[in-house]
């Protein structure tokens, strides 16, 4: 089941909310939420529930074992984490290593995300940041809460721990969650799915401008798709009383690559920082080891997305820019006018996305060369002009909504127009919610891009 | 106290051993058994043909399915067949949902025969169409299967797999 489906919005979600709020006490609410989450997870493929349950049990037991001081603690730590990593690698990368054909088309939904949640829990128990959770209901809820299991955000156990036992549920939070959910739905249906059409329409366009718009439309599709999903996930979680950190903070406003990845998929970046980068020594090592640490993190970030060389090259390409900014470009970027740094960042990120969406390295280089005129049939053609003019409004508004202008306008209207501002904003959200629903009814199914990871 | 602790830890190790065993069994059956899609035919059809330009193609009826593909529509749970309206164009898209997995072999054989037949027709005078046929896709995925002859064959196939 996905958040942008009619069955979720008009049946599963409202029924879940009603059952949850009718249930007395946080303890029973958690049980109800756990049952709902397990039902959500198994909706399309009940068999994968077995994997989820085994993962929960393994990590629950491992947490208790690690906390106890025994002489085999190191072995327990290694095997506990290795189990999680192995399951992930088997599903995602097995066809890279076995010499025979194997059916890998059914990677369980959310595997990368709940596995990373589990590893972060074990990491926090190992470093004694948290005590192991002995209540199996609370631990299971942490792993499989339906608000975040499918495509994140990757919430660490320490962030969620106190909220599992008690959380604030009030009207303001519920409303804020609802607004965030609608915002995410708008991003997904109105922007991401439409940019997907632009991307598809230009897939065969071999002109310079056509290729640029092809890449830009993917960059915007990916942003709205994933940040839209994240908004929906965080909004849903709020409505059940959970507060999670934002996962996207207007990344296309960044002026350096380092800044970009502090704003893009923040939970994944933090995970790699806390559980790979810092244990390796972070930046508190000599330059050689620092370079090694950065390349390891970015190699893993790339391969996390999939078993394709293009993802690895994407990761290492960005890792190299992180290193270049640290060692060579730092002073220059500080001196440059902000808009130049902004353009530099957008260009580097866009080139990276070309590797990200290309099925092969050859295809990626083909696309990149065409962007700069090599191998292009012409500068532009009638197909490009048709697509560009047809989607001009979408492109303009899409770029607009990647900036912070809308958020500032919303805050301005609340602060200066007071109640009027709230009413106007509410009406706008309701209207666009209805537009989204009508587009969902009339349109074909579009899965979330990041659910593939 | 120490004995109690060690006893508890032994039980935990036994439970973990059990989990490993169950996981191995689960993974074995997951990867050795091709899994049927639980998606309904309309979802798969819509997902597969999402953003594909079908304006030059025509959705064919059962008579055409029998005539061109040599398939009995009744043997499938669901079947759709798109064919190019231009007789000089080899584009075809077939999507089927099997009633029984036993029908997969028949479908595959018939589709291969159709591709061969079309290749013989087009190779003489339309090399571009023959290329399309050489790059055509026939894919059986347990309870769904497709045959695609198109310039967008890879895209359509990828969408077919994702839609399952």
């Amino acid at each position: 089941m996905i958040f942008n489906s009619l069955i979720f919005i008009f049946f599963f979600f409202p029924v879940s909310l009603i059952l949850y709020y009718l249930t007395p006490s946080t303890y029973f609410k958690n049980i109800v939420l756990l049952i709902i989450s397990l039902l959500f997870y198994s909706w399309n493929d009940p068999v994968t529930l077995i994997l989820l349950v085994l993962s929960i049990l393994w990590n629950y037991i491992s947490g208790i074992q690690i906390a106890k001081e025994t002489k085999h603690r190191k072995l327990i730590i290694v095997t506990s984490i290795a189990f999680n990593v192995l399951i992930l690698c088997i599903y995602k990368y097995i066809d890279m290593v076995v010499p025979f054909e194997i059916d890998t088309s059914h990677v369980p939904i959310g595997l990368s995300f709940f596995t990373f949640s589990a590893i972060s829990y074990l990491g926090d128990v190992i470093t004694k940041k948290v005590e192991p959770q002995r209540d199996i209901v609370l631990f299971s809820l942490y792993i499989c809460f339906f608000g975040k299991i499918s495509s994140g955000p990757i919430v660490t156990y320490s962030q969620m721990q106190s909220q599992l036992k008690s959380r604030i549920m009030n009207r303001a939070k519920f409303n804020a969650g609802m607004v965030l959910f609608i915002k995410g739905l708008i991003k997904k249906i109105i922007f991401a799915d439409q940019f997907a059409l632009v991307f598809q329409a230009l897939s065969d366009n071999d002109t310079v401008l056509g290729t640029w718009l092809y890449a830009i439309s993917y960059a915007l599709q990916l942003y709205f798709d994933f940040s839209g999903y994240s908004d929906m996930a965080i909004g849903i979680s709020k409505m059940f009383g959970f507060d999670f950190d934002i996962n996207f903070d207007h990344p296309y406003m960044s002026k350096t690559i380092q800044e970009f990845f502090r704003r893009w998929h923040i939970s994944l970046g933090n995970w790699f920082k806390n559980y790979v980068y810092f244990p390796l020594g972070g930046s508190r090592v000599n330059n050689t080891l620092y370079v090694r640490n950065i390349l390891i993190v970015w190699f893993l970030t790339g391969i996390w997305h999939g078993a394709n060389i293009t993802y690895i090259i994407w990761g290492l390409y960005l890792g190299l820019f992180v290193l270049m900014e640290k060692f060579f470009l730092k002073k220059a970027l500080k001196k440059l006018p902000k808009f130049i740094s902004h353009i530099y960042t957008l260009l580097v990120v866009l080139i990276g996305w070309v590797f990200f969406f290309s099925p092969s390295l050859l295809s990626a280089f083909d696309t990149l060369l065409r962007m700069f005129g090599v191998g292009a049939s012409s500068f532009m053609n009638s197909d490009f002009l048709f697509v560009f003019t047809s989607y001009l409004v979408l492109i303009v508004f899409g770029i607009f909504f990647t900036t912070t202008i809308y958020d500032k306008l919303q805050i301005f209207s609340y602060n200066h127009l007071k109640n009027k501002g709230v009413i106007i904003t509410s009406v706008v959200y309701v209207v666009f919610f209805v537009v989204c629903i009508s587009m969902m009814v009339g349109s074909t199914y579009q899965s979330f891009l990041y659910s593939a990871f | 106290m120490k004995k109690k602790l060690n006893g508890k830890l032994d039980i935990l190790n036994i439970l973990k051993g059990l989990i490993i065993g169950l996981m191995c069994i689960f993974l074995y059956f997951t990867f050795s058994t091709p899994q049927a899609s639980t998606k309904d035919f309309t979802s798969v059809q819509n997902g597969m043909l999402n953003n594909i330009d079908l304006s030059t193609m025509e959705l064919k009826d059962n008579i055409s399915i029998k005539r061109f593909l040599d398939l009995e529509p009744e043997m499938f749970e669901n079947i759709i067949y798109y064919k190019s309206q231009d007789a000089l164009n080899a584009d075809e898209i077939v999507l089927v949902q099997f009633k029984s997995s036993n029908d997969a072999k028949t479908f595959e054989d018939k589709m291969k025969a159709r591709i061969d037949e079309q290749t013989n027709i087009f190779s003489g005078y339309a090399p571009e169409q023959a290329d399309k046929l050489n790059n055509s896709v026939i894919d059986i995925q347990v309870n769904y299967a497709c045959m695609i002859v198109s310039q967008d064959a890879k895209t359509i196939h990828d969408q077919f797999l994702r839609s399952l």
Side-chain angles (χ1 to χ4, degrees), chain B residues 28-146:
Chain B
Y28 172 75
F29 280 109
T30 297
F31 289 108
S32 64
T33 315
Q35 295 181 22
S37 172
T38 53
K39 292 283 168 72
D40 63 274
F41 187 77
T42 309
S43 299
V44 176
Q45 178 187 345
N46 288 341
M48 178 180 169
L49 300 175
N50 189 30
N51 298 324
I52 300 300
D53 181 12
L54 297 172
S55 56
T56 56
M57 301 187 85
E58 199 182 347
L59 182 64
K60 292 299 198 180
D61 58 16
N62 286 350
I63 296 169
S64 299
I65 290 171
K66 285 181 193 175
R67 181 185 158 201
F68 293 109
L69 304 178
D70 194 21
L71 288 173
E72 290 296 333
E74 302 79 41
M75 77 189 247
F76 303 104
E77 189 72 41
N78 286 290
I79 179 168
I80 53 152
Y81 172 41
Y82 281 94
K83 189 178 183 305
S84 176
Q85 292 166 352
D86 181 359
L88 299 177
N89 192 313
D91 285 12
E92 286 180 328
I93 301 170
V94 181
L95 174 67
V96 299
Q97 183 181 21
F98 297 116
K99 281 181 184 170
S100 156
S101 53
N102 296 332
D103 297 325
K105 186 77 178 58
T106 308
F107 175 80
E108 193 177 7
D109 291 342
K110 299 281 187 187
M111 291 303 100
K112 279 182 178 167
R114 173 66 178 166
I115 301 285
D116 289 341
E117 182 194 343
Q118 291 285 78
T119 306
N120 288 336
I121 293 168
F122 285 101
S123 59
Y125 68 91
E128 221 180 81
Q129 303 303 318
D131 269 341
K132 266 193 235 173
L133 287 155
N134 286 334
N135 294 322
S136 63
V137 173
I138 301 171
D139 191 12
I140 316 285
Q141 292 285 336
V142 190
N143 57 331
Y144 279 96
C146 66

Side-chain angles (χ1 to χ4, degrees), chain A residues 2 8 116 188 195 225 239 263 290 327 386 412 428:
Chain A
I2 53 169
F8 178 81
F116 269 37
K188 168 61 181 161
F195 277 117
D225 192 282
M239 287 194 261
R263 293 168 172 261
Y290 173 73
F327 291 116
F386 176 74
F412 177 87
V428 167

Side-chain angles (χ1 to χ4, degrees), chain A residues 44-48 50-51 54-55 57-58 61-62 64-65 68-70 76 79-80 83 87 90-91 94 102-106 193 196-197 200 203-204 359 443-447, chain B residues 5-6 8-9 12-13 15-20 22-23 26-27 30-39 43 46-47 50-52 141-142 151-152 154-155 159 161-164:
Chain A
N44 284 330
D45 192 357
V47 173
T48 52
I50 298 171
L51 175 77
L54 289 175
S55 174
L57 289 173
W58 174 270
I61 294 169
S62 297
I64 293 170
Q65 280 187 314
K68 302 229 182 265
E69 298 296 323
T70 70
I76 292 168
T79 52
S80 297
F83 178 88
I87 300 302
I90 286 171
Y91 269 99
I94 192 169
I102 198 160
D103 181 14
T104 57
S105 58
H106 295 276
D193 289 356
L197 297 178
Q200 179 63 36
S203 58
D204 290 329
S443 180
T444 55
Y445 164 83
Q446 287 269 22
S447 67
Chain B
L5 184 65
N6 285 340
K8 240 184 186 166
L9 291 173
L12 294 178
N13 282 331
L15 283 171
K16 283 181 100 173
L18 200 61
I19 291 169
I20 290 174
L22 288 170
M23 188 63 90
F26 175 75
L27 290 173
T30 297
F31 289 108
S32 64
T33 315
Q35 295 181 22
S37 172
T38 53
K39 292 283 168 72
S43 299
N46 288 341
N50 189 30
N51 298 324
I52 300 300
Q141 292 285 336
V142 190
Q151 206 148 328
D152 299 320
K154 191 184 178 314
T155 304
Q159 290 183 176
L161 292 173
R162 272 204 299 274
S163 69
L164 298 175

Side-chain angles (χ1 to χ4, degrees), chain A residues 251 254-264 298 315 317-325 329 333 341-350 352:
Chain A
S254 303
K255 290 167 198 59
T256 65
I257 296 301
Q258 291 182 77
E259 185 187 353
F260 183 84
F261 284 98
R262 284 197 296 271
R263 293 168 172 261
W264 178 278
W298 282 100
Y317 160 82
L318 291 165
L320 278 171
F321 269 95
V322 167
L323 290 170
M324 274 167 46
E325 284 181 3
L329 301 178
L333 285 169
S341 315
H342 192 193
I343 291 169
Y344 146 79
T345 306
L346 288 175
L347 195 60
V348 170
V349 166
L350 192 67

Side-chain angles (χ1 to χ4, degrees), chain A residues 85 88-89 91-94 96-97 112 116 268 271-272 276 295-317 356 452-453:
Chain A
V85 173
L88 190 60
C89 289
Y91 269 99
K92 291 188 86 159
Y93 312 117
I94 192 169
M96 282 176 96
V97 292
S112 303
F116 269 37
L268 183 70
W271 192 96
F272 275 111
V276 178
L295 292 178
I296 286 173
V297 165
W298 282 100
F299 170 80
L300 291 175
T301 306
I303 206 166
W304 179 86
H305 287 86
N308 194 331
I309 185 74
T310 52
Y311 292 126
I312 296 170
I313 297 299
W314 169 80
L316 291 173
Y317 160 82
F356 198 81
F453 307 129

